[in-house]
Amino acid sequence: QDVSSWTRRYQRNNKSNGLKNLRCFPYCSEVHALRGFCGRPISLRFERPKTEYPRPVFAWGEFRPLVPLPESTQPIVEEGYILTSTQIQPKVRTKNSPSLPWLAGEPVNGDDTRTKNIVEFTFNENPKGWHYGWVASKHTSHFEHVF
């Protein structure tokens, strides 16, 4: 996706269940929805060198401040860092735990494509809202965020 088409500012609505969903993220649906979900999925295209025995690729995304806060206890996962499923699963958002931070990317052409040298993932393909539980103060309300 061309991130230049993404909106620079978003509003959040507060749901009765405590979720805070971004509106119109990353930009409006075909027609702006005044109520309920307004937004689109995100896609990520991943390309890697061809290897004889490629490992399957998985993708997760999360919203976070562009510049980590000094008091943050969440480590930033950097390129090349390998995580185990034991480290990942407690952070992945599910229907029963919609406020967890990580959204799982789904391979566009099915699980068989995870071992290809080019894999495309979508996040939030079936619009469920873009929950982001950021708690701002007057000192942090101007912070930029990334997905």
Side-chain angles (χ1 to χ4, degrees), residues 8-51:
R8 295 274 306 156
R9 294 180 178 265
Y10 304 96
Q11 290 194 357
R12 291 189 301 177
N13 58 10
N14 296 314
K15 298 298 202 178
S16 59
N17 60 0
L19 295 181
K20 297 175 183 289
N21 288 333
L22 293 175
R23 297 274 302 147
C24 308
F25 181 81
Y27 50 94
C28 285
S29 304
E30 292 290 327
V31 176
H32 174 69
L34 296 174
R35 295 176 187 219
F37 179 79
C38 185
R40 294 176 179 250
I42 293 176
S43 63
L44 165 73
R45 186 172 185 246
F46 180 84
E47 188 170 350
R48 62 180 169 178
K50 291 183 181 181
T51 62

Side-chain angles (χ1 to χ4, degrees), residues 57 106-116 119-121:
V57 175
E106 296 297 326
V108 171
N109 294 312
D111 280 335
D112 294 346
T113 63
R114 290 186 188 274
T115 56
K116 305 288 185 198
V119 185
E120 187 173 350
F121 294 94

Side-chain angles (χ1 to χ4, degrees), residues 62-64 68-69 71-78 81 83 87 91 101-102:
E62 74 171 317
F63 291 101
R64 62 180 320 130
L69 298 174
E71 67 273 9
S72 177
T73 57
Q74 285 191 322
I76 295 176
V77 179
E78 295 182 7
Y81 191 79
L83 297 168
Q87 292 169 300
K91 298 174 191 253
W102 290 9

